[in-house]
Amino acid sequence: MASISSTSSLGNTALRGFGGMASGIDRDSIIEKMTLGTTTKINNQKKKITELQWKQEAYRGVSDKIIDWADTYASYTSSKNLKDLNVFAKNQISLRGAETATRFVTATGSSSMVNNISIKGVQQLATSAVLKSESHSSQGGAGIATNVNDLLSKDVRTSNLKGAKLDFAIYDSSDGKKISSATFTFASTYTVQEDGKEVTKNIDYTLENQSLDDLVGILNEHVLGKSEAKVGDANLKDVFEFGNDNGQIVLKKKSGAPEGVVMEGDYALKTLGLDDSQKNEKGKVEFGADGTITMQNKFEDTAINERKMVDYLTGQKMTFNYDGSSKSIELITKEEAAELKGMTESEAKAKMAENLQNRLNQAFGTGTVKVKFDDVLSFDTEKAGSTVSVMSNNYEMLNNMGLTYGASNKVNLNGTLDQPALSKAFTGITIPKGDKALNLKINGVEIKGLTGNSSISDILSKINSTTEAGVKATYVESTGEFMLVSSETGAGRQIKLEGEVTNALFGNKQGDGGSTKVIEGQDAKILVNYGGVDVMIERSSNTFNLEGLTVTVSGEFGDVEKKTDGTWSYDKSQSITFSAKADVEGALERVKSFIEDYNALVTEINNHVRTRPDNNYGALTDEQKAEMDETSIENWENKAKQGILYGDSAMRDLSMDMESVFTKMLNNGASYEDLKEIGISYAEDWGDGGTLVFDEVKFKTAMENDPEKVSNIFAGGGSVKKGLIDTIDETLIPYATRYGSKNDNGNGKGSYGRLVDIAGSEKKPTTLMENEIYKELQRMQETIDSLNERLKMEQDRYISQFTTMESLINQMNTQSSYLSQLSA
C-alpha cells in the first residue's frame, strides 16, 4: 500500500510568548506533546467529516442520476420520453396518388382508419374574409411634392453644429501634460422608447421646428445624458450641462466635475457663440467663478447659416427607389449650379428639371420616373402601377425640401396620415395631431397606442399585434391599397370598421353611400371516401382532423361536382389514399439511449453496494496533504472513496429493487417471450445485477411488424397493466424524485426519496440544508469548535506555566550572577 508520514499534532498551535530563553527547553515541542490527545481528537473528527462528505457526494451522484433518468424518459415534457404512445405508433404517413394531387395535401398523426379512408378531391379551400381599401396614391397628381418652389431667391437654413466636437481635458499643473480627455459630439439623431420599441428622432440644429430651449433639453437628456465618455473619474454628464440665456448658449459646471477641467475645440465653441476673448493665455476655455461659461454671441448668429436653395442643393445626393431598384442621384452638380445662376428663375427651374430627368432616365430608363418643376419640384412615375420613393440619411436636407424619409407617390409607410397620398381619402376629415389618439376601431376592438404622430407602419403593426381585433393588416404597394384579412379562415368572419379615420384609411365604399365591401370568407370542401361511401366534409380551416390524422390541403384538385341525384363525380386519377408505418429509426434511437442510461445507473448502484473499502486508505489531514503533490492526493482520495457506501442499507435496498424490475414486468402482464421478441432480456450474469440486454435487430423487426406490442411493453396497454418505463419509475421514486408529492407520507409534506433525505440533491436546492448528513456535519463541526476551545485553554495554561518557570529561572540566574560578583 502507499505510505505517508504522520504528524504528532496540528502543526500550527500558534503558541504565544518566548520559550526556552532562560531554561533552554523547547517549550513548543513539549506543549504539542502535552496537548496531543486533544489535537488527535480534532484530526480524527476532521477525517470523519471528510469521509461523511464523500458519502454525501456518492449519495447525490446516484440520486441526481435517478432524477435525470426520470426527467429524460418518464416525463411527458422530454424529447426522449418513452411513455408517449406516438413514439411507437404508425405515425409516418405516406400519400399515394398522382403528384398533381398529392402536392396539395400533407398528413401527420395516426389513425386506425388509415387504410379505410381516401380523399377524392378538394372542391374549394377555406379562405379569410378580405377588405380592400380604396387605392391611395399621388399618381397623376402631385406625386412626391417638395416645398422647393424656386432656386435663386429662396433662403435655406443650415447648421454648422451637427457633427462638431467639443473637447474636455485635464492638464497636470506641474508639467502641463494632458492627463485626461473626453469628447462630446453634437449628434444628428437620438433614440427614445415609444410603445415598447426604440424610435430614432432627428435633432434640428436650425431651430426651424423647435425652440432653443427644446434643443438644449434634447442635448442634455438624450445626447449628453447617454454619453459614456469620461474626463478624469467623472462621466461627461456629471461634468456640465447646456443652458439657454436669452438666445446665448450657457455651459454650466456641475458639482461632480473634477478640478481643473477645461474646454477645447475651436470649431464647436465658436459655432456655439464663444468669443476668442473668453480663452485663457493657453488658448483653453475655463469655467467662470460662478461655474458657467456664457457664449458672447447669440446661437442663431453663429450656429445657423442661410444659403440660397441652388447653393444648398449643389452636391447633395438623394436615393431614388423605383419599383424595388435603388440609385443615388445628384440633384445639382457644381457645373450646373454655375449655369443656373446665370438664368431667370423660370429658366433655372426648367433646366434643373431637365438635368435631373436625364440622370433618372439613365438610372431607371426613359418613361419611368418623371420630374416636374412648375409651382414646386415633384417626382412621379409614368406607369400607374409603378412606385417611386426617395430616401436620404441627411435629414436636414429632407426637412429643407419638405420631405420625409421614404416619401413616395404611393403611401409612405414611414410617414403619418397627413401625407399627400392620403389627402383624397381624408378630405373633410380632421386627422388628430400630435399626441392625440387616432381612435381606430376594428370589429368593435379599439386599436390602442396610436396618435397623430404614429407612422403608417406603426398603425399596421399595432393592428397586427391586437389579436382581439381578429384581422391582419398590410399595404399593397403595387395597387396602393390597404388590406385587412381576417386572422381565421372560414365562412362568417367579419371585418367591421368604426370611426371616420378607420373608414377613411381602410374603407372601400360601393356606390353613393354604399357600405364597405368585404369579400366573404368560405369553408374548405373536401370529398372523403369512408370505406366506399363518399362524404363531402366542410371545415373552416384548411388544416383539420380526419379520423386522427391532421390533414392540410393547399390547393384544389379532383374536379369535384355534385350530380343531380345527390352523388358526387370526380376525377378518379386524382384520388389520394394513405399508408402508415412506425418511425423505426427514431424509436430505436430513443430506446437504445434509454438502455444505455439505465444500465449505467444499475452498474453504478451495484458498484457502491459490492465494492469493499480498503482500510489502508482514509481521509488525509492537512499536514499529510502538505507532504504530497496534487496527483498523489487525487489518487489517494480516489482509492479512499471506493467502497464508501459498502454495506449501506438504503443502497442495498435500491440494488435489490432494481434487480426485481424484470420480475415486476412479468407480474404486470408482460410475458418473457414478448420482452425477448422486442429485443429486451435480463442479463444472465448475476454480477450484472439487473442490467438489461438489448437486441437492436429484434427491436427493429418488432417495430416494423408489430409496433403496438412494443408500445405496450414500454408504455403499457393490452395485457400489460404497467409498462417498463412506469415500472422503473415507480421503483426509483422511493429513493429519489423531483416531486415530493409522489412519496406522500400522509402529512401533506411528502418526501423527495430516501437518498435525498439522507444527503440532499442539487436537483432540489431546498434539500441541500435539509438532510441527515448536513445535520450530522453541523454536529461534528460543533464538536471540532468545542475541541479547538479546549486546545486553546490547554495551550494557554501550559504557556502560562512555562512563562512563570522562565521568569523564576531568570531571577535565579540574576541572583547567581550577583553572588558570583560579590565573592570575586
Side-chain angles (χ1 to χ4, degrees):
M1 82 171 208
S3 174
I4 62 172
S5 64
S6 62
T7 59
S8 61
S9 70
L10 291 175
N12 182 17
T13 58
L15 300 179
R16 297 164 297 285
F18 300 95
M21 294 186 68
S23 65
I25 296 172
D26 186 351
R27 184 202 66 181
D28 290 356
S29 177
I30 292 175
I31 292 178
E32 284 189 357
K33 290 177 181 178
M34 295 174 74
T35 58
L36 180 59
T38 303
T39 55
T40 300
K41 289 178 181 179
I42 293 173
N43 272 335
N44 289 339
Q45 196 72 0
K46 284 186 175 182
K47 291 171 72 174
K48 288 179 181 179
I49 286 177
T50 299
E51 289 169 355
L52 190 55
Q53 288 173 334
W54 288 347
K55 276 192 174 185
Q56 187 180 52
E57 179 185 316
Y59 279 122
R60 288 181 181 178
V62 175
S63 63
D64 288 354
K65 284 184 174 64
I66 290 174
I67 293 173
D68 284 341
W69 181 91
D71 288 346
T72 304
Y73 301 106
S75 171
Y76 285 106
T77 60
S78 170
S79 61
K80 289 187 175 182
N81 164 34
L82 283 173
K83 293 169 70 173
D84 184 0
L85 300 180
N86 288 321
V87 176
F88 311 102
K90 289 184 176 181
N91 53 17
Q92 302 293 296
I93 306 301
S94 298
L95 306 179
R96 296 173 179 170
E99 191 275 336
T100 53
T102 57
R103 63 185 174 137
F104 294 124
V105 180
T106 61
T108 59
S110 60
S111 171
S112 58
M113 292 282 291
V114 71
N115 296 319
N116 303 102
I117 54 176
S118 61
I119 294 179
K120 299 304 181 183
V122 176
Q123 190 178 51
Q124 68 180 37
L125 294 174
T127 59
S128 299
V130 178
L131 184 150
K132 292 183 179 181
S133 74
E134 300 284 357
S135 179
H136 301 295
S137 171
S138 296
Q139 173 70 37
I144 304 173
T146 71
N147 65 4
V148 180
N149 53 13
D150 62 54
L151 289 173
L152 307 179
S153 58
K154 184 173 182 177
D155 290 319
V156 180
R157 287 168 68 92
T158 61
S159 171
N160 301 324
L161 195 57
K162 181 172 62 178
K165 299 182 185 300
L166 192 60
D167 295 323
F168 292 79
I170 300 175
Y171 288 86
D172 191 315
S173 58
S174 61
D175 58 15
K177 290 183 179 179
K178 185 184 292 185
I179 57 177
S180 180
S181 64
T183 299
F184 173 81
T185 302
F186 290 90
S188 58
T189 62
Y190 65 95
T191 58
V192 293
Q193 290 289 326
E194 290 184 358
D195 298 327
K197 66 179 182 179
E198 194 172 80
V199 177
T200 299
K201 297 198 172 186
N202 305 310
I203 300 177
D204 178 18
Y205 291 103
T206 67
L207 304 185
E208 280 198 321
N209 299 307
Q210 61 190 17
S211 68
L212 182 56
D213 282 335
D214 292 334
L215 175 60
V216 165
I218 290 170
L219 290 174
N220 284 333
E221 180 179 358
H222 299 292
V223 185
L224 179 59
K226 295 178 181 178
S227 172
E228 299 291 334
K230 277 189 169 187
V231 59
D233 294 328
N235 288 315
L236 275 185
K237 59 186 177 184
D238 298 322
V239 172
F240 80 104
E241 65 181 357
F242 292 97
N244 172 26
D245 182 10
N246 295 319
Q248 292 169 264
I249 289 292
V250 179
L251 301 184
K252 302 177 183 179
K253 186 178 180 181
K254 288 189 174 182
S255 59
E259 290 297 323
V261 64
V262 297
M263 269 159 289
E264 303 172 319
D266 276 355
Y267 180 80
L269 288 167
K270 288 183 178 180
T271 303
L272 288 173
L274 186 83
D275 189 85
D276 282 340
S277 63
Q278 294 179 268
K279 297 179 182 179
N280 63 19
E281 65 278 3
K282 295 181 179 180
K284 313 300 180 187
V285 180
E286 301 173 347
F287 287 100
D290 61 351
T292 63
I293 301 171
T294 302
M295 305 301 164
Q296 293 299 303
N297 302 301
K298 286 191 175 293
F299 181 81
E300 289 207 27
D301 295 339
T302 56
I304 299 172
N305 297 321
E306 288 191 352
R307 291 189 285 170
K308 298 302 180 186
M309 181 63 77
V310 64
D311 294 318
Y312 179 71
L313 293 182
T314 299
Q316 300 276 27
K317 292 185 178 181
M318 193 154 57
T319 298
F320 286 77
N321 184 298
Y322 175 75
D323 285 349
S325 177
S326 295
K327 301 286 184 180
S328 179
I329 304 295
E330 191 169 3
L331 299 178
I332 299 175
T333 67
K334 289 182 180 180
E335 293 77 12
E336 291 169 351
E339 182 182 7
L340 294 175
K341 290 177 183 178
M343 298 179 176
T344 65
E345 187 68 59
S346 59
E347 290 173 340
K349 286 182 180 181
K351 187 61 178 175
M352 178 187 175
E354 179 186 342
N355 294 336
L356 260 178
Q357 187 68 68
N358 289 335
R359 283 195 280 277
L360 288 166
N361 288 346
Q362 186 176 1
F364 302 110
T366 304
T368 52
V369 180
K370 61 181 179 181
V371 183
K372 289 175 63 177
F373 202 162
D374 297 329
D375 295 331
V376 294
L377 176 67
S378 64
F379 308 95
D380 208 342
T381 61
E382 293 285 356
K383 298 177 183 178
S386 292
T387 303
V388 63
S389 61
V390 293
M391 290 158 284
S392 174
N393 291 324
N394 186 342
Y395 291 97
E396 180 191 81
M397 181 189 74
L398 291 175
N399 181 63
N400 283 323
M401 294 183 71
L403 297 172
T404 57
Y405 187 91
S408 170
N409 66 324
K410 302 286 179 68
V411 174
N412 175 17
L413 298 183
N414 295 301
T416 55
L417 292 176
D418 56 350
Q419 58 180 279
L422 296 174
S423 58
K424 181 179 177 182
F426 283 92
T427 300
I429 296 175
T430 301
I431 300 174
K433 300 293 183 183
D435 294 329
K436 291 185 178 179
L438 282 186
N439 296 321
L440 261 66
K441 208 169 187 179
I442 300 173
N443 288 336
V445 177
E446 181 183 354
I447 311 300
K448 298 179 180 179
L450 296 172
T451 68
N453 290 328
S454 298
S455 67
I456 302 299
S457 179
D458 291 336
I459 293 172
L460 300 180
S461 178
K462 282 289 185 183
I463 292 172
N464 291 335
S465 62
T466 307
T467 56
E468 299 88 346
V471 296
K472 296 297 180 183
T474 189
Y475 175 69
V476 184
E477 187 178 88
S478 60
T479 63
E481 298 169 326
F482 288 98
M483 289 180 63
L484 295 178
V485 181
S486 63
S487 302
E488 302 291 339
T489 56
R493 306 294 178 186
Q494 291 186 336
I495 301 179
K496 183 181 178 182
L497 308 180
E498 296 181 46
E500 60 180 10
V501 172
T502 317
N503 276 284
L505 190 60
F506 297 107
N508 188 340
K509 300 295 183 182
Q510 303 300 305
D512 295 330
S515 60
T516 297
K517 180 182 178 183
V518 177
I519 302 172
E520 298 290 340
Q522 65 182 19
D523 290 337
K525 293 182 178 181
I526 306 99
L527 187 63
V528 179
N529 184 275
Y530 290 87
V533 179
D534 294 329
V535 178
M536 176 62 75
I537 62 172
E538 298 187 21
R539 298 290 184 268
S540 61
S541 172
N542 292 313
T543 298
F544 52 92
N545 183 279
L546 183 62
E547 303 303 322
L549 298 180
T550 299
V551 177
T552 299
V553 293
S554 58
E556 299 172 1
F557 63 89
D559 295 331
V560 178
E561 293 291 340
K562 192 171 186 178
K563 295 189 289 188
T564 55
D565 61 0
T567 60
W568 297 92
S569 67
Y570 51 84
D571 183 352
K572 293 182 179 179
S573 68
Q574 300 292 297
S575 294
I576 294 175
T577 59
F578 302 93
S579 65
K581 65 177 183 178
D583 181 6
V584 177
E585 293 300 328
L588 173 63
E589 183 179 346
R590 284 202 201 186
V591 171
K592 186 177 178 182
S593 175
F594 150 70
I595 295 289
E596 290 173 353
D597 289 349
Y598 176 78
N599 285 344
L601 176 60
V602 171
T603 299
E604 181 170 343
I605 294 169
N606 290 336
N607 285 339
H608 281 302
V609 172
R610 297 171 182 172
T611 302
R612 292 176 178 273
D614 187 338
N615 294 328
N616 292 316
Y617 292 84
L620 298 167
T621 66
D622 292 338
E623 291 73 27
Q624 290 169 334
K625 287 182 179 179
E627 298 177 8
M628 305 167 65
D629 58 42
E630 291 185 5
T631 302
S632 298
I633 293 172
E634 183 179 354
N635 292 337
W636 179 279
E637 291 189 340
N638 286 339
K639 188 69 175 178
K641 289 178 182 179
Q642 290 179 7
I644 196 71
L645 295 180
Y646 179 76
D648 180 81
S649 60
M651 293 301 296
R652 188 170 57 248
D653 291 344
L654 173 57
S655 177
M656 292 173 63
D657 283 341
M658 295 299 280
E659 289 182 16
S660 69
V661 164
F662 211 75
T663 302
K664 289 178 182 178
M665 277 299 296
L666 300 180
N667 292 336
N668 286 332
S671 71
Y672 181 80
E673 289 73 20
D674 284 346
L675 284 162
K676 195 170 183 178
E677 191 173 311
I678 73 165
I680 294 178
S681 58
Y682 196 69
E684 295 181 359
D685 186 346
W686 71 271
D688 290 334
T691 57
L692 301 176
V693 178
F694 184 53
D695 188 322
E696 293 185 28
V697 175
K698 287 184 178 180
F699 178 83
K700 291 176 70 172
T701 301
M703 280 294 297
E704 290 168 354
N705 298 328
D706 194 356
E708 186 175 356
K709 178 183 287 186
V710 181
S711 177
N712 292 343
I713 294 293
F714 277 93
S719 62
V720 182
K721 291 174 287 186
K722 192 169 292 180
L724 180 59
I725 301 303
D726 276 336
T727 300
I728 295 173
D729 194 29
E730 291 185 6
T731 299
L732 294 173
I733 283 172
Y735 296 94
T737 177
R738 190 180 290 279
Y739 307 102
S741 58
K742 291 185 177 183
N743 287 317
D744 190 358
N745 56 15
N747 62 6
K749 292 184 178 179
S751 164
Y752 293 110
R754 288 177 64 183
L755 303 187
V756 180
D757 290 344
I758 294 171
S761 171
E762 296 285 351
K763 304 292 182 181
K764 297 298 297 183
T766 56
T767 68
L768 295 177
M769 292 188 291
E770 285 292 333
N771 60 79
E772 296 171 13
I773 290 181
Y774 178 81
K775 293 174 182 177
E776 180 62 23
L777 288 171
Q778 283 185 310
R779 288 192 290 269
M780 296 171 75
Q781 185 59 49
E782 289 171 0
T783 300
I784 289 180
D785 293 341
S786 177
L787 288 170
N788 279 327
E789 284 295 320
R790 183 198 297 180
L791 177 62
K792 182 178 181 300
M793 291 173 62
E794 291 175 353
Q795 290 174 343
D796 287 345
R797 184 173 71 251
Y798 291 133
I799 288 172
S800 176
Q801 292 173 355
F802 270 97
T803 302
T804 300
M805 183 189 74
E806 286 289 323
S807 296
L808 291 172
I809 292 173
N810 194 47
Q811 290 176 15
M812 292 173 66
N813 288 338
T814 302
Q815 291 175 356
S816 176
S817 177
Y818 176 71
L819 292 172
S820 295
Q821 290 176 0
L822 289 177
S823 62

